[in-house]
Amino acid sequence: MSVTEQDVRAAAPANAPEDVLNWVAEIAALTTPDAIEFADGSQEEWDRLTSLMVESGVFTRLNEEKRPNCFLARSLPSDVARVESRTFICSEKEEDAGPTNHWADPVEMKATLKEKFTGAMKGRTMYVVPFSMGPLGGPISQLGIEISDSPYVVCNMRIMTRMGQAAMDLIAEGKPWVPAVHSVGVPLEEGQEDTAWPCNEEKYITHFPETNEIWSFGSGYGGNALLGKKCFALRIASTMARRDGWMAEHMLILRLTRETTGQQFHVTAAFPSACGKTNLAMLQPTIPGYTVETVGDDIAWMRPGPDGRLYAINPEAGFFGVAPGTSYDTNPMAMETMKANSIFTNVALTDDGDVWWEGIDGDVPAHLIDWHGNDWTPESGEKAAHPNSRFTVPAAQCPIICSDWEAPQGVAVDAILFGGRRATNVPLVAEQYEPAHGVFIGASVASEVTAAATDVKAGSLRHDPFAMLPFCGYNMADYWGHWLEMQDKLGENFPKVYQVNWFRKDEDGNWLWPGYGENSRVLDWIVRRATGEVEAIDGVTGRYPKFEDFNLDGLDIDEAHWAKLFAIDPDAWSAEMDDTEEYFAQFGDKVPAAIREQLAKFRERIAAAKA
Ligand code: OXD
Ligand code: MN
């Protein structure tokens, strides 16, 4: 017997409003689950669902002494990352999705989804998950309800969002909420056994920006299934933000405090997926004089505050970070954060019930169970953890979480960084010439592709404007226009933009910059620019530090090495601008005049460098 409207009403908390009940009943009638539960976010619920998943084989409980209350899940090899080719923006007009999104007609997509979701939850429990993105009740926060047939999703949402009764209480007060429907797309016939990672070969990750709806079918993984994250907090939120005069960005947020004066600076930074945002967010400065605190590692929602400055909140409550490469060496704070109450997905399992991945501290174990669930030895020749394997951890457990990370009004942003993985061309740091140049810097971000999406060739260079390519819910060129408008509105108060690149290599393929904690030196220069303590030198891509101003104490970087970090090959940059111009051309007339002007100015600077 599938769930009836009466069952919905019986399962719902007493204060669930009529519009919620009607919507849930409608989805239940469509998807015909066997049972329904409203998630309350309690510890009892977490304990029950995690135990249920241990029994059903979805979760492996990790060693209670080493990683209390931690679990490992292994997905199917066909469901290990976001699927950009199956991600759709269903705006009424195709041009509003723009050439960088996959567009689908909303009416046609609704018809397809109706067919896909019909009976999709048969044999499963439907979970109704109310959640808040951002501190509960905060002026920048937003509410949503995810319906999902995956207990794995419910437990991840409990870490990644403020999930449960407290969010429902706000919805019951009449606050607006975003409906999000998710199914793994594997109905179970009577007596049919479930598998440890149900998912459908056919996937649809769909967004309806005009009605603020999200429908996701066929995947149980990360950004495809935890709908508060990429689907809501970036794709839908970016369209809301444009309508309402704020910004939803793929950015970390950190606080830098100068120990001598107590002055605080807040920096946000956009990098394409899996380019070290979590590492930068939790940076341990190698130079004296600064304390870093983490506000967020992936998404920033920013709004003008009463004083005319730009204020940012982290809409998430957890970190969904890439595991490989994370160690006490590269990111000790992340390692400390994941000591308990965490979910690991597609990492390897040690013989003593702990987790392991490539790049973690210590010797490579002689034996592991790899992410496929098979025996693994160093001779296996395969990676034991999937390159996009993840940890889901509560942000509050981060030892350097900022005391204001849940401040409802957010933190005032002083500087915005754009970066990518660039082995060549892009200098260590460059400051914008003027606000529109800052937007040009964001618009021309390109990066070597990582493993965060399944369907993009890793290693190739791709344009990823503002690191938002897979996440902008509307036409990318209109988004640049929105940035220019926000800059106009805030004037002098709009934070200065910097382009950074930690990944430059020399002609022999050696890294030119040590990265990680040493990136504090770049932040130090940016702070000293903000306070007016240092000057910058005009260059082709922007304004650079003077060698003598930049803190290189204790690093083996002489002037010749420094020159390589900032070397500009005018021919290479000419070629890069040709490529950028070609990239912009796909947006036609929508490219703002100010951005075309910046391209022309860039070419003039190249010409001057050649002369
Ligand atoms: C992420 C991503 O998972 O950007 O954060 O892909
Ligand atoms: Mn991300």
Side-chain angles (χ1 to χ4, degrees):
M1 264 298 277
S2 67
V3 167
T4 63
E5 182 169 349
Q6 248 174 344
D7 297 328
V8 171
R9 288 179 184 272
N15 64 349
E18 263 320 283
D19 60 338
V20 171
L21 295 170
N22 290 338
W23 174 68
V24 175
E26 194 189 306
I27 304 300
L30 176 68
T31 57
T32 64
D34 275 14
I36 179 161
E37 274 185 36
F38 280 71
D40 61 11
S42 64
Q43 186 62 39
E44 179 281 324
E45 179 177 83
W46 165 275
D47 292 341
R48 187 167 47 78
L49 290 182
T50 52
S51 300
L52 187 100
M53 284 190 278
V54 169
E55 268 162 46
S56 67
V58 177
F59 268 177
T60 301
R61 191 184 292 277
L62 296 174
N63 184 322
E64 268 300 320
E65 255 142 56
K66 297 193 154 189
R67 299 234 180 229
N69 198 24
C70 286
F71 301 88
L72 164 67
R74 296 187 194 103
S75 79
L76 281 193
S78 60
D79 198 23
V80 292
R82 289 182 293 97
V83 278
E84 295 185 6
S85 57
R86 305 299 302 163
T87 299
F88 299 93
I89 301 297
C90 310
S91 48
E92 278 158 25
K93 291 197 211 132
E94 185 169 359
E95 63 166 331
D96 288 339
T100 53
N101 279 314
H102 298 286
W103 176 79
D105 177 85
V107 176
E108 280 171 26
M109 182 55 89
K110 276 281 170 73
T112 304
L113 292 170
K114 193 164 175 205
E115 190 195 314
K116 294 288 156 202
F117 275 88
T118 298
M121 297 191 186
K122 191 169 175 214
R124 300 191 181 276
T125 298
M126 166 193 272
Y127 299 94
V128 183
V129 184
F131 62 94
S132 170
M133 298 310 292
L136 285 154
I140 312 183
S141 305
Q142 300 279 345
L143 298 159
I145 304 181
E146 176 165 353
I147 288 181
S148 174
D149 54 8
S150 160
Y152 169 88
V153 164
V154 180
C155 290
N156 275 274
M157 286 291 282
R158 184 170 185 264
I159 298 176
M160 294 305 296
T161 72
R162 282 89 175 168
M163 173 271 255
Q165 188 57 46
M168 184 62 99
D169 292 345
L170 291 169
I171 291 169
E173 281 174 19
K175 298 231 160 56
W177 53 279
V178 166
V181 187
H182 169 253
S183 172
V184 292
V186 186
L188 293 171
E189 295 309 325
E190 197 75 46
Q192 188 184 333
E193 280 246 349
D194 201 3
T195 58
W197 191 273
C199 65
N200 196 302
E201 281 304 301
E202 204 177 354
K203 298 179 179 21
Y204 289 88
I205 321 298
T206 69
H207 310 74
F208 296 81
E210 278 100 4
T211 49
N212 289 346
E213 286 168 87
I214 302 161
W215 292 75
S216 167
F217 179 87
S219 169
Y221 202 80
N224 301 328
L226 310 177
L227 302 185
K229 192 173 181 64
K230 304 299 186 182
C231 299
F232 184 172
L234 289 175
R235 298 195 192 97
I236 290 294
S238 62
T239 61
M240 289 176 156
R242 182 181 177 218
R243 283 194 294 263
D244 300 339
W246 51 285
M247 306 170 90
E249 302 298 332
H250 191 203
M251 291 178 179
L252 66 91
I253 312 167
L254 64 82
R255 169 182 288 174
L256 211 52
T257 305
R258 259 188 161 170
E259 284 162 3
T260 43
T261 59
Q263 269 172 301
Q264 290 177 349
F265 300 87
H266 297 100
V267 175
T268 67
F271 291 80
S273 302
C275 283
K277 289 217 302 295
T278 307
N279 291 344
L280 183 59
M282 298 177 193
L283 169 126
Q284 294 289 281
T286 50
I287 54 173
Y290 288 102
T291 312
V292 167
E293 292 167 77
T294 310
V295 180
D297 81 327
D298 195 39
I299 299 176
W301 283 358
M302 305 195 286
R303 252 180 219 264
D307 59 358
R309 298 187 67 195
L310 193 60
Y311 283 78
I313 63 159
N314 169 11
E316 301 191 278
F319 307 128
F320 182 66
V322 176
T326 311
S327 68
Y328 274 95
D329 216 24
T330 60
N331 194 339
M333 293 303 116
M335 296 301 288
E336 287 293 309
T337 308
M338 63 180 87
K339 275 181 153 170
N341 314 314
S342 303
I343 298 169
F344 297 87
T345 308
N346 287 344
V347 304
L349 180 68
T350 64
D351 289 348
D352 60 354
D354 200 1
V355 287
W356 191 88
W357 48 77
E358 281 72 19
I360 203 172
D361 313 83
D363 297 333
V364 176
H367 175 261
L368 293 164
I369 302 294
D370 70 11
W371 71 276
H372 295 286
N374 298 329
D375 286 310
W376 181 96
T377 65
E379 289 73 47
S380 299
E382 305 242 332
K383 291 205 183 320
H386 186 276
N388 191 41
S389 53
R390 300 278 179 144
F391 48 81
T392 320
V393 298
Q397 289 181 190
C398 179
I400 54 163
I401 197 72
C402 180
S403 51
D404 283 328
W405 84 283
E406 299 201 275
Q409 73 285 0
V411 295
V413 181
D414 295 283
I416 297 178
L417 274 48
F418 288 107
R421 276 176 199 272
R422 295 298 307 266
T424 60
N425 286 14
V426 180
L428 178 63
V429 56
E431 184 184 280
Q432 71 177 40
Y433 276 109
E434 54 192 322
H437 181 225
V439 179
F440 180 82
I441 288 174
S444 49
V445 168
S447 188
E448 285 134 32
V449 170
T450 62
T454 48
D455 38 10
V456 196
K457 194 171 165 282
S460 59
L461 190 69
R462 79 161 174 178
H463 287 272
D464 189 352
F466 286 77
M468 283 288 275
L469 181 71
F471 307 123
C472 184
Y474 60 102
N475 190 305
M476 182 63 80
D478 288 337
Y479 165 91
W480 301 339
H482 179 54
W483 261 73
L484 291 163
E485 273 172 30
M486 293 299 293
Q487 284 180 327
D488 270 355
K489 196 149 107 189
L490 270 64
E492 284 290 293
N493 280 323
F494 198 91
K496 257 194 208 156
V497 165
Y498 293 82
Q499 181 181 39
V500 297
N501 178 25
W502 322 136
F503 300 95
R504 197 161 186 180
K505 291 182 177 169
D506 68 12
E507 39 313 330
D508 301 322
N510 304 311
W511 299 114
L512 281 167
W513 180 248
Y516 302 108
E518 307 293 3
N519 294 334
S520 54
R521 298 170 190 269
V522 174
L523 296 178
D524 166 57
W525 182 71
I526 291 170
V527 162
R528 287 187 291 135
R529 285 292 297 149
T531 56
E533 286 159 72
V534 286
E535 287 180 353
I537 326 162
D538 293 357
V540 170
T541 65
R543 314 189 73 206
Y544 310 136
K546 290 184 180 160
F547 176 70
E548 60 273 22
D549 283 342
F550 198 89
N551 185 346
L552 290 167
D553 291 352
L555 284 188
D556 193 14
I557 294 186
D558 59 14
E559 226 167 326
H561 185 146
W562 175 264
K564 285 189 188 174
L565 273 166
F566 287 88
I568 295 292
D569 173 352
D571 292 331
W573 273 104
S574 265
E576 184 143 349
M577 282 307 109
D578 291 347
D579 178 60
T580 302
E581 191 164 358
E582 200 183 308
Y583 183 72
F584 287 176
Q586 67 182 310
F587 302 100
D589 293 347
K590 281 198 178 270
V591 177
I595 298 302
R596 292 186 193 282
E597 206 174 284
Q598 286 301 321
L599 187 80
K601 286 188 176 176
F602 204 116
R603 288 202 190 276
E604 280 165 25
R605 293 197 296 272
I606 295 172
K610 277 187 183 169

